[in-house]
């Protein structure tokens, strides 16, 4: 499982690291947090001024710097906070915990908090963006709901699936190729209301980190990107309440200390009330009477500081969408619930000033169910995926030139592909046995972020992954006509199929001068679980399936080059990145496949397999400082697929291929009371397959279709604006009104296209017309936000 190359790589790291430790060194380490709340500050810059060397705090606010004995000045900075400095007489190891004080900063609206002013050119990061919730909340929100996923779609290289869908596509990959984490727990369905809203409540979120290129070795299991979202820990100084009342939903967050400076909590809830508001206005004779839809989510987190070396965190998420329809006249009922459940227990331990450990036990679950009943007949369709995960992540800081990370993770998957049950009274219909699939996924990794010279910095790592599908499992064997002729049965624990291999990653940064750098990276990734979809957009009915004796792991290779430059004393940041990515063993349904084809059969018997390719260029210019700031992003890209069993074996454009993608984002602080924001986006229309000719044969209409995804929908573009008015403060009570307009110039963007027949053959006036369906016209909204 773990080849000799992995062991050699580990030994080389150790030799290079420990050889630097022969001379006498001392370490200064500690945690950086916000003074007012006790929240850990992620990515705060910690430096030894005289050496111009330093590091950034990790996800838990920890830092460690090892240098020669001497007298130095320790500096800790984080945007929006006063700089902390302290003179050190390093004669022994020191532990210095820092609490930064907030200050008034006029540049806080659209700037990445905690980022060093020259991080854009100094780090090895490519295609990586860290966003603060203050930045996200400053942008126009759809119907008053702040949406993390819609915000990251404004970045170059990240493409939207269109209105009514929070699925996103990164550098040619599908929505299942994005690893979405909430406090380390995988979120399998990140949307509410069939994609109109994301599941992430902004009031409970502290930090958002998107990685779309140069994925570090500690992340795995996906090909395209990582969206790593960290929840707030809760104020350990004082009690606070905040929330908001909007057009379709309200939210409330409570946080405070359990034991001051030692333990804290945060609980945040959100619910729509469309069903509550509409119900009194529906007459009992209306065909919509008894119909209701709502979604809710609940976030909670507790933490406890056992000692300066040990900390515990317990976080959870519960989210549900529920659609109900009850018609007492027809004796017909429908209930469709779906949603995610996550729970995470984490233990931080500091072995010494250089070695940090985080251990996590994680539960992730996604379930979809469709239930209907009529006159005693009951039908239920359900699917889902459940994970139990154990992780150990070590961070080792031998000196200022090295930052080493290594660890392991293990996941036990339980897949429930589409299953159905039906009964009439006491009679149960045979729709096949309830099918479940089981698999183990595990990995070891190690990486080092180190300086080769003052100009050349390298981040190199390797991840060795392994996946095994086990029984009990029944494999249905088909003949050439597609009929099931035999069954292969696997006993509990028996190996059905296994896969694995090394996943090397490397990133380089070469500094031309203090303001310009060149970067390059290469990543090799495996993906062992797949999302099977019959739709052109992500829906709750989509099914997660594992690798098996039929389905091989998806594999990608990506190489990227970048030019990075800062202008005018770091007021502006600019970058150009080009990338090329290949993907093997891509999964699609067969031509003409239907969801019912999975009944009494294996879902993967209806799949076909092929390859993919994506390449392009991303341009990004950001203004960081001043009352007016924001960014402009442009992506030029091509994404293609080739399946021997689709489109007659000819290469076709992926359905989410968009040649041009432009985003313009701007915020402006007029004064202490008023701030404004504007977003404009443009994207080439999605690829689509449509009829190109119609024939009348014996009175019937027969359609001739274009090649797969050969045609284009009209281009998508839209402008959103918002204004925030901070109302008069009453002691500790702060509140504001947010006014937003979605789709300012009422653009009718296409959601789907259908064909309607007008006239008749007999009268000789039969015509077929293409019609476009659009979702959202111009939509104004008002939200009242408050904080105490």
């Amino acid at each position: 499982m773990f080849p000799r190359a992995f062991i050699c790589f580990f030994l080389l790291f150790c030799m290079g690291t420990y050889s630097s430790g022969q001379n006498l060194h001392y370490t200064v380490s500690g945690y950086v947090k916000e003074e007012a709340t006790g929240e850990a500050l992620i990515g705060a810059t910690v430096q030894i001024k005289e050496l111009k060397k330093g590091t950034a705090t990790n996800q838990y606010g920890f830092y460690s710097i090892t240098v020669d004995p001497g007298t130095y000045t320790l500096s800790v900075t984080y945007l929006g906070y006063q700089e902390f400095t302290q003179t050190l007489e390093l004669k022994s190891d020191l532990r210095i915990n820092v609490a930064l004080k907030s200050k008034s900063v006029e540049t806080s609206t659209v700037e990445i908090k905690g980022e060093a002013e020259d991080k854009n050119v100094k780090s090895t990061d490519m295609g990586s963006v860290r966003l603060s919730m203050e930045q996200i909340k400053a942008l126009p929100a759809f119907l008053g709901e702040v949406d993390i996923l819609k915000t990251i779609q404004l970045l170059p290289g990240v493409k939207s699936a269109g209105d009514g869908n929070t699925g996103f596509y990164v550098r040619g990959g599908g929505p299942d190729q994005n690893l979405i984490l909430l406090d380390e727990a995988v979120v399998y369905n990140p949307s509410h209301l069939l994609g109109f809203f994301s599941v992430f409540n902004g009031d409970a979120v502290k930090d958002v980190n998107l990685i779309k290129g140069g994925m570090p070795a500690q992340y795995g299991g996906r090909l395209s990107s990582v969206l790593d979202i960290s929840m707030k820990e809760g104020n350990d100084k004082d009690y606070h309440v905040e929330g908001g009342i909007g057009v379709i939903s309200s939210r409330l967050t409570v946080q405070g200390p359990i034991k001051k400076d030692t333990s804290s909590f945060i609980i945040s809830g959100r619910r729509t009330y469309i069903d509550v508001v509409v119900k009194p206005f529906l007459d009992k004779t209306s065909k919509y009477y008894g119909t209701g839809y709502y979604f809710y989510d609940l976030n909670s987190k507790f933490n406890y500081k056992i000692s300066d070396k040990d900390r515990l965190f317990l976080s959870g998420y519960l989210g549900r969408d529920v659609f109900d329809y009850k018609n007492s006249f027809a004796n017909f009922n429908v209930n469709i619930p779906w949603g995610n459940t996550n729970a995470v227990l984490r233990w931080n331990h500091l072995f010494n000033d250089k070695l940090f450990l985080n251990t996590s036990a994680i539960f992730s679950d996604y379930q979809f169910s469709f239930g209907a009943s009529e006159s005693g007949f009951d039908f239920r369709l359900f699917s889902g995926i459940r994970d139990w995960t154990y992780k150990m992540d070590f961070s080792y800081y031998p000196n200022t030139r090295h930052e080493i990370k290594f660890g392991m993770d293990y996941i036990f998957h339980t897949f429930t592909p589409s299953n159905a049950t039906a009964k009439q009274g006491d009679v149960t219909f045979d729709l096949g046995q309830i099918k479940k699939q089981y698999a183990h996924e595990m990995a070891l990794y190690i990486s080092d972020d180190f300086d080769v010279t003052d100009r050349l910095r390298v981040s190199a790592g390797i991840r060795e992954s392994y996946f095994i599908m086990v029984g009990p499992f029944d494999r249905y064997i088909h003949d050439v006509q597609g009929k099931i002729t035999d069954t292969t049965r696997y006993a509990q624990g028996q190996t059905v199929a296994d896969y694995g291999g090394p996943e090397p990653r490397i990133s380089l940064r070469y500094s031309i001068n203090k303001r310009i750098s060149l970067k390059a990276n290469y990543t090799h990734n495996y993906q062992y679980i797949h999302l099977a979809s019959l739709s052109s957009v992500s829906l709750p009915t989509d099914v997660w399936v594992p690798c098996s004796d039929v389905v091989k792991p998806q594999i990608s290779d990506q190489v990227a080059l970048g030019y990075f430059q800062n202008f005018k004393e770091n007021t502006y940041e600019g970058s150009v990145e080009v990338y090329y990515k290949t993907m093997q063993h891509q999964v699609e349904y067969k031509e003409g496949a239907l969801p019912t084809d999975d009944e009494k059969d294996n879902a993967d018997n209806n799949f076909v397999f092929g390859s993919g390719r994506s390449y392009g260029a991303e341009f990004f210019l950001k203004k960081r400082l001043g009352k007016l700031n924001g960014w402009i992003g442009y992506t030029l890209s091509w994404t293609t697929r080739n399946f021997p069993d689709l489109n007659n074996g000819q290469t076709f454009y992926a359905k989410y291929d968009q040649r041009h993608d432009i985003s313009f984002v701007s915020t402006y602080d007029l004064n202490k009371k008023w701030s404004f924001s504007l977003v404009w986006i443009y994207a080439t229309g999605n690829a689509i397959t449509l009829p190109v000719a119609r024939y009348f044969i014996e009175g019937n209409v027969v359609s001739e279709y274009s090649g797969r995804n050969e045609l284009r929908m009209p281009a998508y573009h839209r402008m959103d604006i918002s204004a925030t008015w901070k109302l008069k403060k009453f002691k500790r009570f702060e509140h504001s009104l947010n006014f937003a307009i979605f789709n300012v110039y009422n653009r009718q963007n296409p959601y789907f296209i259908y064909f309607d027949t007008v006239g008749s053959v007999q009268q000789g006036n039969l015509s077929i017309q293409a019609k476009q369906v659009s979702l959202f016209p111009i939509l104004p909204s008002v939200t009242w936000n408050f904080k105490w």
Side-chain angles (χ1 to χ4, degrees):
M1 170 184 168
F2 303 109
R4 188 180 306 168
F6 186 85
I7 299 173
C8 293
F9 198 86
F10 176 80
L11 293 175
L12 286 172
F13 270 119
C14 293
M15 291 172 61
T17 300
Y18 287 105
S19 65
S20 64
Q22 300 303 313
N23 298 323
L24 183 63
H25 299 300
Y26 293 118
T27 301
V28 54
S29 63
Y31 292 87
V32 178
K33 62 182 182 180
E34 183 182 13
E35 183 183 61
T37 66
E39 287 275 355
L41 296 179
I42 302 172
T45 302
V46 185
Q47 283 189 323
I48 301 294
K49 281 194 170 184
E50 290 77 5
L51 302 178
K52 296 183 179 179
K53 296 288 185 180
T55 187
T57 56
N58 69 7
Q59 191 172 356
Y60 302 95
F62 178 75
Y63 74 93
S64 176
I65 301 177
T66 300
V67 294
D68 296 331
T71 302
Y72 302 104
T73 302
L74 179 71
S75 168
V76 182
T77 57
Y78 196 83
L79 183 68
Y81 295 82
Q82 298 176 20
E83 180 184 8
F84 170 89
T85 58
Q86 182 175 326
T87 301
L88 307 177
E89 188 72 28
L90 267 186
K91 297 179 180 179
S92 61
D93 293 339
L94 295 177
R95 177 68 54 79
I96 299 178
N97 295 327
V98 178
L100 294 185
K101 297 180 179 180
S102 180
K103 66 177 181 179
S104 176
V105 181
E106 293 184 344
T107 62
S108 62
T109 47
V110 187
E111 186 160 355
I112 300 174
K113 291 186 71 174
E115 187 178 64
E117 62 179 11
D118 53 0
K119 182 178 183 294
N120 183 52
V121 294
K122 278 194 172 182
S123 76
T124 57
D125 295 341
M126 285 184 65
S128 179
V129 180
R130 188 177 293 276
L131 300 171
S132 70
M133 284 311 302
E134 286 81 1
Q135 178 179 359
I136 295 172
K137 287 181 177 180
L139 302 180
F142 175 62
L143 294 178
E145 281 297 316
V146 173
D147 197 318
I148 291 172
L149 297 188
K150 283 185 170 58
T151 301
I152 67 168
Q153 291 167 13
L154 300 174
L155 299 169
V158 184
K159 299 187 178 184
S160 166
D163 287 339
N165 198 318
T166 52
F168 60 98
Y169 307 91
V170 178
R171 292 185 172 179
D176 66 322
Q177 295 175 359
N178 304 310
L179 179 63
I180 303 175
L181 302 172
L182 179 63
D183 267 5
E184 297 190 58
V186 175
V187 178
Y188 282 103
N189 182 18
S191 66
H192 284 307
L193 193 56
L194 301 177
F196 294 121
F197 302 101
S198 76
V199 300
F200 305 110
N201 182 350
D203 290 345
V205 172
K206 175 169 65 177
D207 181 77
V208 179
N209 187 26
L210 173 69
I211 304 170
K212 53 190 173 76
M215 191 183 297
Q218 66 263 35
Y219 298 109
R222 301 294 188 276
L223 300 189
S224 291
S225 75
V226 178
L227 181 62
D228 196 350
I229 300 172
S230 300
M231 286 176 55
K232 292 177 180 177
E233 296 166 8
N235 192 316
D236 67 4
K237 306 291 184 182
D238 200 1
Y239 294 98
H240 286 268
V241 177
E242 65 177 307
I245 299 175
V247 175
I248 66 166
S249 68
S250 292
R251 62 191 192 279
L252 182 69
T253 301
V254 181
Q255 59 179 313
I258 299 173
K259 182 179 180 181
K260 195 171 182 180
D261 297 324
T262 302
S263 180
S264 64
F265 74 94
I266 180 171
I267 299 176
S268 184
R270 177 177 59 160
R271 191 193 191 278
T272 58
Y273 32 69
I274 305 172
D275 56 324
V276 178
V277 173
V278 172
K279 188 174 181 179
F281 298 97
L282 288 178
D283 188 270
K284 290 187 177 182
T285 59
S286 170
K287 62 181 179 180
Y288 297 108
Y289 185 78
T291 302
Y293 169 81
Y294 63 92
F295 73 74
Y296 66 88
D297 41 43
L298 178 67
N299 296 81
S300 62
K301 189 169 184 178
F302 304 87
N303 72 87
Y304 180 68
K305 181 180 177 183
I306 302 171
S307 67
D308 202 34
K309 289 190 174 183
D310 295 278
R311 302 181 183 207
L312 285 175
F313 302 85
L314 176 62
S315 56
Y317 170 82
L318 173 66
R320 287 291 181 272
D321 289 68
V322 179
F323 174 80
D324 283 303
Y325 176 78
K326 298 178 181 179
N327 189 320
S328 58
F329 299 103
N331 196 22
F332 178 67
N333 299 316
V334 173
N335 177 255
I336 311 176
W338 69 92
N340 302 278
T341 304
N342 296 334
V344 183
L345 177 62
R346 290 184 286 183
W347 169 49
N348 289 174
H349 179 66
L350 196 60
F351 288 96
N352 53 49
D353 295 325
K354 297 182 180 181
L355 184 60
F356 180 92
L357 165 68
N358 177 65
T359 303
S360 303
I362 305 167
F363 171 78
S364 300
D365 181 78
Y366 170 70
Q367 300 294 329
F368 168 82
S369 177
F370 172 91
S373 62
E374 183 178 15
S375 302
F377 177 77
D378 297 313
F379 175 81
R380 182 169 174 249
L381 177 72
F382 57 95
S383 62
I385 179 172
R386 175 174 292 179
D387 292 345
W388 296 92
T389 303
Y390 179 76
K391 294 179 58 182
M392 294 182 70
D393 299 293
F394 294 85
S395 297
Y396 180 58
Y397 308 86
N399 52 51
T400 56
R401 284 189 174 271
H402 290 267
E403 181 180 340
I404 298 174
K405 296 181 179 180
F406 59 97
M408 59 79 64
D409 56 70
Y410 164 79
I411 308 172
F412 177 65
H413 299 284
T414 301
F415 300 86
T416 307
S418 295
N419 286 272
T421 61
K423 66 178 183 176
Q424 178 79 46
D426 296 329
V427 179
T428 300
F429 297 93
D430 181 16
L431 299 181
Q433 296 180 346
I434 303 300
K435 300 184 293 291
K436 288 191 176 183
Q437 294 171 269
Y438 305 92
H440 305 272
E441 184 175 353
M442 56 203 80
L444 294 176
Y445 73 87
I446 186 169
S447 66
D448 190 7
D449 200 355
F450 61 96
D451 291 317
V452 179
T453 67
D454 288 340
R455 290 182 179 269
L456 179 62
R457 185 170 181 84
V458 176
S459 178
I462 189 168
R463 180 182 182 90
E464 180 70 25
S465 61
Y466 179 71
F467 182 92
I468 177 170
M469 179 184 172
V470 296
F473 175 69
D474 291 342
R475 166 61 64 193
Y476 299 106
I477 311 300
H478 291 235
D479 61 17
V480 292
Q481 283 80 32
K483 295 182 179 180
I484 297 176
T485 58
D486 198 3
T487 303
T488 302
R489 300 186 183 280
Y490 295 87
Q492 183 172 349
Q494 184 178 355
T495 299
V496 178
D498 66 330
Y499 304 93
E503 302 178 38
R505 293 98 185 267
I506 185 169
S507 298
L508 303 95
R509 182 267 297 154
Y510 181 79
S511 298
I512 296 175
N513 54 45
K514 291 182 178 181
R515 295 290 175 260
I516 301 175
S517 66
L518 301 176
K519 300 182 185 182
N521 68 42
Y522 166 76
T523 57
H524 180 76
N525 293 63
Y526 283 76
Q527 180 168 329
Y528 300 104
I529 65 175
H530 321 277
L531 188 66
S533 176
L534 286 167
S535 171
S536 60
V537 297
S538 299
L539 293 174
T541 52
D542 295 344
V543 177
W544 287 92
V545 294
C547 284
S548 65
D549 52 331
V550 172
V551 182
K552 294 181 180 180
Q554 299 182 56
I555 302 173
S556 74
D557 290 276
Q558 177 177 270
V559 61
L561 301 173
Y563 174 86
F564 295 77
Q565 182 172 353
N566 290 2
F567 308 88
K568 292 188 176 181
E569 301 298 323
N570 296 307
T571 299
Y572 294 90
E573 292 180 354
S575 65
V576 179
E577 296 185 41
V578 296
Y579 68 90
Y580 182 86
K581 179 163 69 173
T582 60
M583 293 164 281
Q584 304 174 43
H585 309 145
Q586 301 299 282
V587 179
E588 293 277 3
Y589 269 102
K590 293 178 180 177
E591 295 276 15
L594 298 172
T596 53
D597 294 341
D598 293 346
E599 294 178 11
K600 296 185 179 182
D601 199 357
N602 305 119
D604 54 19
N605 280 335
N606 295 303
F607 296 165
V608 293
F609 308 97
S611 60
R613 184 177 64 159
S614 181
Y615 54 94
E618 301 167 1
F619 302 84
F620 190 55
L621 178 65
K622 179 175 68 175
K623 185 176 185 293
R624 302 177 67 245
L625 305 176
K627 288 189 172 184
L628 176 66
N629 49 28
W631 70 78
I632 300 174
Y634 170 65
T635 304
L636 174 67
S637 64
W638 290 260
T639 301
T640 59
R641 296 287 187 267
N642 184 276
F643 285 70
D645 298 311
L646 298 179
N647 202 44
N648 297 317
Q650 297 180 356
T651 298
F652 57 90
Y653 288 113
K655 57 191 175 186
Y656 33 82
D657 170 73
Q658 294 174 342
R659 191 72 59 249
H660 306 282
D661 188 273
I662 305 170
S663 60
F664 175 82
V665 178
S666 179
T667 65
Y668 179 68
D669 283 340
L670 179 64
N671 51 44
K672 292 182 178 181
K673 288 189 174 183
W674 284 96
S675 61
F676 303 89
S677 63
L678 180 147
V679 169
W680 183 78
I681 57 177
Y682 172 91
T684 301
N686 289 336
I688 191 173
T689 305
L690 293 175
V692 292
R694 303 275 187 171
Y695 303 98
F696 299 101
I697 301 177
E698 298 180 355
N700 297 315
V701 179
V702 179
S703 301
E704 178 184 342
Y705 284 84
S706 67
R708 191 178 182 94
N709 296 340
E710 194 173 67
L711 303 177
R712 292 279 175 177
M713 298 180 91
Y716 183 100
H717 56 90
R718 189 190 79 236
M719 178 184 290
D720 307 329
I721 60 174
S722 74
T724 300
W725 176 27
K726 293 183 179 180
L727 302 172
K728 186 177 180 180
K729 183 177 180 181
F730 297 97
K731 295 183 179 180
R732 295 180 58 187
F733 184 78
E734 302 176 22
H735 59 143
S736 64
L737 286 173
N738 178 266
F739 307 92
I741 301 177
F742 178 89
N743 196 7
V744 172
Y745 50 81
N746 200 31
R747 164 71 175 176
Q748 300 298 302
N749 287 302
Y751 185 58
F752 65 84
I753 294 174
Y754 73 96
F755 290 84
D756 189 23
T757 302
V758 179
S760 66
V761 177
Q762 291 77 11
Q763 296 178 2
N765 61 351
L766 180 67
S767 66
I768 299 173
Q769 300 175 356
K771 295 186 177 181
Q772 173 184 302
V773 175
S774 301
L775 285 181
F776 302 124
I778 181 172
L779 289 173
S781 64
V782 179
T783 305
W784 178 58
N785 297 306
F786 59 88
K787 181 187 294 186
W788 173 80

